[in-house]
Amino acid sequence: MSMSWALLGIAVVIVISTGLGWLQQRAYQREVNKLIAEDGESGRILVSGRTKGKIRGAIVLLVVDRSTRQVHRAVGMAGSSVFARFRELPQLTGALDGAASRASSKAVRRATDDAIERYSQVRVPAAPVPR
């Protein structure tokens, strides 16, 4: 009888964990859509970076002007639980080069470095290609 209670407990934990992970994914999706709607002007690109730690992780979203390499807007989520939420990161706005050094924590700095690396790999032309 105790084995069935243990299995039921494990099943409940898995369902709760899956549900909370889904909620966090939805929060990420909402934030990306919001940034695109508000800051999706021509010539700007949205890049994301992330880092995982043993306890804490972080996700950073940067809206970068491709012609000037300026971070127009930055938001991030850092924490150790699925209850972490996106917050504005005004200290990351400005020049893309050196943005990571302006980060408020080690996890955010590593996520910003990841976003900058992803930005450097983007091969999108600055102007639309004529047909």
Side-chain angles (χ1 to χ4, degrees):
M1 192 71 162
S2 66
M3 181 66 129
S4 61
W5 283 109
L7 289 175
L8 180 63
I10 290 171
V12 167
V13 168
I14 289 172
V15 168
I16 290 171
S17 175
T18 301
L20 291 173
W22 179 79
L23 288 174
Q24 192 169 41
Q25 173 61 30
R26 295 277 301 161
Y28 174 81
Q29 195 173 30
R30 274 192 308 275
E31 194 66 30
V32 166
N33 290 338
K34 185 173 103 176
L35 285 174
I36 290 171
E38 294 174 359
D39 296 298
E41 295 179 17
S42 179
R44 291 185 181 162
I45 189 168
L46 174 67
V47 291
S48 67
R50 68 182 179 99
T51 186
K52 289 184 178 182
K54 292 179 183 175
I55 298 174
R56 297 179 57 98
I59 299 172
V60 171
L61 301 171
L62 304 176
V63 178
V64 181
D65 186 311
R66 291 183 297 199
S67 62
T68 62
R69 291 183 53 91
Q70 293 288 311
V71 177
H72 176 72
R73 189 161 172 205
V75 296
M77 176 193 307
S80 58
S81 76
V82 295
F83 300 111
R85 294 290 169 242
F86 279 98
R87 296 183 186 351
E88 292 288 331
L89 299 173
Q91 68 272 22
L92 298 182
T93 59
L96 181 63
D97 299 326
S101 66
R102 299 188 301 268
S104 58
S105 71
K106 182 179 178 181
V108 172
R109 182 172 44 255
R110 289 174 51 204
T112 304
D113 278 334
D114 186 48
I116 293 169
E117 174 66 26
R118 290 172 191 262
Y119 175 82
S120 69
Q121 295 171 356
V122 173
R123 301 286 184 241
V124 180
V129 177
R131 291 185 170 198

